[in-house]
Amino acid sequence: MVHVLSSRTLLRPADPERSRVFYGEQLGLAVSREFGTGPDRGTVYFLGGGHLELSGRAENPPTPAERAAAPVRLWLQVADAAAAHDELRAKGVEITRPPVREPWGLIEMWIADPDGIPVVLVEVPADHPMRYRPGI
């Protein structure tokens, strides 16, 4: 068995500074570390139990066809999807779908990063089975 010590999602944005504004200022992710210098420096953000690294620069953002062929989605759990909706809308983040309670019981809101990478903000309601922990 492989013993994983840490996990990280790596993105190569077309415009690293624009992506740093989105993830750092608009989403409010805390910086774990930065490396390199200048506009193409790498930035690693805390993602709960993992990290999101913006590193390097893509020639162009992925096209819709490229995103569909190799789908990348960020799934971020939040305590309150409605509050996240109001906060992000006030910061100018485009909401591609407001919070909706899905048939499987989770409340999901969809946004997209500056390169069009879908970001799903998920609230796990108190009555959802994901919160069930026997004996506690």
Side-chain angles (χ1 to χ4, degrees):
M1 178 198 293
V2 175
H3 181 72
V4 177
L5 299 176
S6 170
S7 65
R8 178 170 299 159
T9 299
L10 174 63
L11 297 179
R12 297 209 185 281
D15 182 339
E17 186 56 35
R18 183 179 66 177
S19 291
R20 276 192 289 277
V21 168
F22 177 78
Y23 288 105
E25 295 176 22
Q26 292 181 304
L27 286 187
L29 298 181
V31 172
S32 169
R33 70 184 183 91
E34 291 190 294
F35 54 93
T37 59
D40 290 343
R41 71 188 180 279
T43 305
V44 180
Y45 296 96
F46 287 108
L47 277 183
H51 294 88
L52 172 67
E53 178 177 329
L54 303 180
S55 180
R57 179 184 292 265
E59 292 294 319
N60 296 298
T63 66
E66 289 168 334
R67 284 193 302 271
V72 172
R73 310 269 186 281
L74 295 177
W75 192 93
L76 306 176
Q77 186 174 339
V78 298
D80 185 334
H85 175 269
D86 294 344
E87 178 182 340
L88 293 174
R89 189 175 59 188
K91 291 180 177 180
V93 173
E94 180 184 352
I95 310 295
T96 57
R97 197 188 82 175
V100 172
R101 187 172 193 128
E102 299 291 355
W104 46 89
L106 298 175
I107 300 169
E108 296 185 4
M109 176 178 82
W110 301 346
I111 60 177
D113 87 349
D115 288 330
I117 304 286
V119 179
V120 182
L121 299 176
V122 179
E123 176 185 340
V124 181
D127 63 346
H128 193 276
M130 285 177 70
R131 289 204 182 212
Y132 176 71
R133 299 188 316 171
I136 295 179

